[in-house]
Amino acid sequence: MSLFRTKPLSKLLMQAESGGLKRTLGAPGLVALGIGAVIGAGIFVRTAAAAGEKAGSGVVFSFIIAAIGCAFAGLCYAEFAAMIPIAGSAYTYAYVTMGELIAWIIGWALILEYALGAATLSIAWSEYFNNLFPNLIPWEWRHSPLQSFQGVHGIVNGPAIVILLLLTLLLIKGTSESASVNAVIVTVKVAIVVMIIALGWKFINPANHTPLLIPDNFDAAHTNFFRHGWGGVVGGAGIVFFAFIGFDAVSTAAQEAINPGRDMPIGLLGSLTVCTVLYIAFSWVLTGIAKWNDFNNPQLGGEASVAYAIKTGMPGYEWLSTLVTVAILFGFSSVMLVMLLGQSRVFYSMANDGLLPRVFAEVHPKFCTPYKCNALLFVFVGLIGGLLPGDITGDLTSIGTLFAFVLVSLGVWIMRRKNPGQPRPFRTPFVPVVPILGAVVCCLMIVGLETTTQVAALVWMVIGLAVYFLYAKSHSRLNEADVPGVHVAGD
């Protein structure tokens, strides 16, 4: 059996029409879904981190680089999502174009990406919730057992588990209900982001944007190209890329789009456009009302960076910092919702293909959602969020998404060559230039991430390969005698 056997496109399209998931999402819901994933931790947390650690005020350019990479990849995603409107996103696309082993690797990466992303956000959500209500929950019941303070050891991060449970129950109830709640959250937090931009613009101090990039002497030994100058801008792009993972999550909902040929490209590219404009404006205001190196100082703006910038750089608007905390809670909630949705749909697709136990491919008889996936993944993500501190998780979310973007970009080119006659409601322009540029820009951002992140991702991949050869390969539905038309990638 070839490791690169591909799933027949005709069978996949039949599966899309006969699948148990309900088509309830239109273009506005998909755009809101994408904005819900993008406007969250990235704009409120990662912006300041990238400015303080890598790019300085040049974080604006970091967002532009990340957005360019997302635009190239987003165009490729749009073609695939319109042509193959089925849950699974990059995993499914790789299965059709590059074969089962590559599909497994990317699916395995996406499972960890969404798990770590949702868990990290649940921990951050808990921190901001505790800051808003400092005496509501005892210290030990809102911190990891690996944390201690003044002789008190944490037991479990209760708020993190509770918010994950509530969002999981919402997802089990139904995708349309989840999308409706997400739309309300998106409206609230986007309104606050626009308010910060509008009110903060007049407080920008031009001196804070000088120099625009982190100077060379910031890394006196010149040992890290990605910590100053234009190298820092590239390194910053890898950090803020966390903010753009909504695109992959939108594509995982393709099987629940009412008119995927029209709605998926609008959802993917529309959310990218809105969020890129907001990010560039927000990052310019943030680094204009506070000096970028304050965000690298834990005693100043290293924590709760946006609230710090408002308090120090916008006199008379201290009340806005409370609204920012509320917006962050809303923002984290919507991003977690989209991450949990995306993770369950990838898991569902892999189970449906036999690569994971098929019990997780069952949908709820009433709600038509993969409830067993949601329940299992809640346990997995809840253990991470409840028992581990946030600093243990890192940029693995970004590296998993970037890897997916690389393969999707290359996959469009491969599919054009293998199956040129297949109807394409949306066509990526300038193939192969756009796919190649998408892959190159995303690879550049992967290189700019920390070495520890790259090593951790490699370890997870090794575990995944062991699971594939010990279980998935022998249980694949492509082994069944009644599956016609199995191909080997490259044939």
Side-chain angles (χ1 to χ4, degrees), residues 119-120 122-124 126-127 130 137-161 381-393:
T120 302
S122 72
I123 296 167
S126 175
E127 291 173 355
N130 296 329
I137 303 171
W139 193 93
E140 60 268 26
W141 290 104
R142 49 189 170 96
H143 286 87
S144 157
L146 300 181
Q147 295 173 294
S148 62
F149 178 71
Q150 294 182 348
V152 178
H153 289 271
I155 297 174
V156 69
N157 193 332
I161 294 177
V381 178
L383 285 173
I384 298 174
L387 300 179
L388 296 180
D391 56 3
I392 287 184
T393 60

Side-chain angles (χ1 to χ4, degrees), residues 208-224:
N208 289 337
H209 287 146
T210 305
L212 190 58
L213 306 180
I214 289 182
D216 290 351
N217 60 13
F218 182 75
D219 179 26
H222 296 278
T223 55
N224 191 340

Side-chain angles (χ1 to χ4, degrees), residues 111-189:
I111 289 173
L112 179 67
E113 166 205 333
Y114 288 130
L116 281 175
T120 302
L121 287 170
S122 72
I123 296 167
W125 189 95
S126 175
E127 291 173 355
Y128 278 93
F129 179 82
N130 296 329
N131 186 56
L132 199 61
F133 304 102
N135 300 316
L136 184 63
I137 303 171
W139 193 93
E140 60 268 26
W141 290 104
R142 49 189 170 96
H143 286 87
S144 157
L146 300 181
Q147 295 173 294
S148 62
F149 178 71
Q150 294 182 348
V152 178
H153 289 271
I155 297 174
V156 69
N157 193 332
I161 294 177
V162 169
I163 187 61
L164 288 170
L165 176 61
L166 292 176
L167 294 174
T168 297
L169 293 175
L170 181 61
L171 285 172
I172 291 175
K173 177 65 172 62
T175 303
S176 60
E177 289 83 354
S178 302
S180 298
V181 172
N182 179 68
V184 174
I185 294 174
V186 167
T187 301
V188 171
K189 65 182 180 179

Side-chain angles (χ1 to χ4, degrees), residues 117-431:
T120 302
L121 287 170
S122 72
I123 296 167
W125 189 95
S126 175
E127 291 173 355
Y128 278 93
F129 179 82
N130 296 329
N131 186 56
L132 199 61
F133 304 102
N135 300 316
L136 184 63
I137 303 171
W139 193 93
E140 60 268 26
W141 290 104
R142 49 189 170 96
H143 286 87
S144 157
L146 300 181
Q147 295 173 294
S148 62
F149 178 71
Q150 294 182 348
V152 178
H153 289 271
I155 297 174
V156 69
N157 193 332
I161 294 177
V162 169
I163 187 61
L164 288 170
L165 176 61
L166 292 176
L167 294 174
T168 297
L169 293 175
L170 181 61
L171 285 172
I172 291 175
K173 177 65 172 62
T175 303
S176 60
E177 289 83 354
S178 302
S180 298
V181 172
N182 179 68
V184 174
I185 294 174
V186 167
T187 301
V188 171
K189 65 182 180 179
V190 169
I192 293 179
V193 169
V194 172
M195 187 186 304
I196 293 172
I197 294 172
L199 295 177
W201 200 271
K202 64 181 180 181
F203 290 98
I204 291 177
N205 181 358
N208 289 337
H209 287 146
T210 305
L212 190 58
L213 306 180
I214 289 182
D216 290 351
N217 60 13
F218 182 75
D219 179 26
H222 296 278
T223 55
N224 191 340
F225 171 75
F226 296 104
R227 279 206 84 196
H228 55 79
W230 286 105
V233 168
V234 174
I239 292 177
V240 301
F241 186 81
F242 178 90
F244 288 101
I245 63 174
F247 300 103
D248 184 73
V250 170
S251 65
T252 64
Q255 199 169 340
E256 292 151 281
I258 297 171
N259 185 352
R262 180 200 67 191
D263 296 341
M264 291 308 298
I266 295 174
L268 287 160
L269 301 177
S271 55
L272 169 63
T273 302
V274 171
C275 295
T276 299
V277 171
L278 288 175
Y279 268 148
I280 291 173
F282 184 89
S283 60
W284 185 251
V285 169
L286 186 67
T287 54
I289 61 179
K291 188 66 176 173
W292 62 265
N293 48 6
D294 285 357
F295 300 131
N296 202 39
N297 187 339
Q299 302 301 318
L300 297 175
E303 297 180 4
S305 305
V306 179
Y308 165 81
I310 292 172
K311 290 177 180 177
T312 58
M314 295 175 60
Y317 287 90
E318 289 78 7
W319 55 269
L320 190 56
S321 63
T322 301
L323 276 183
V324 167
T325 300
V326 174
I328 288 174
L329 289 174
F330 275 114
F332 286 175
S333 298
S334 65
V335 178
M336 279 187 282
L337 184 71
V338 178
M339 284 183 171
L340 292 172
L341 171 70
Q343 185 191 41
S344 65
R345 275 25 176 198
V346 172
F347 203 90
Y348 165 83
S349 295
M350 296 176 75
N352 205 39
D353 291 330
L355 302 182
L356 292 170
R358 295 189 194 183
V359 65
F360 298 111
E362 297 177 11
V363 297
H364 195 281
K366 179 180 179 181
F367 303 134
C368 296
T369 56
Y371 67 110
K372 292 184 178 179
C373 278
N374 291 123
L376 174 69
L377 295 172
F378 161 69
V379 174
F380 179 42
V381 178
L383 285 173
I384 298 174
L387 300 179
L388 296 180
D391 56 3
I392 287 184
T393 60
D395 291 328
L396 280 168
T397 304
S398 293
I399 200 170
T401 308
L402 285 165
F403 184 55
F405 278 24
V406 170
L407 293 184
V408 168
S409 297
L410 296 177
V412 162
W413 185 16
I414 293 171
M415 181 59 83
R416 287 281 188 94
R417 295 175 63 87
K418 288 179 58 178
N419 202 339
Q422 179 66 33
R424 289 170 168 82
F426 178 86
R427 296 179 67 89
T428 302
F430 307 114
V431 174

Side-chain angles (χ1 to χ4, degrees), residues 54 224 226-227 231 234-236 238-239 395 402 442-451 454:
K54 302 277 189 177
N224 191 340
F226 296 104
R227 279 206 84 196
V234 174
I239 292 177
D395 291 328
L402 285 165
C442 291
C443 284
L444 186 63
M445 285 188 275
I446 289 175
V447 173
L449 291 171
E450 297 294 333
T451 303
Q454 297 165 356

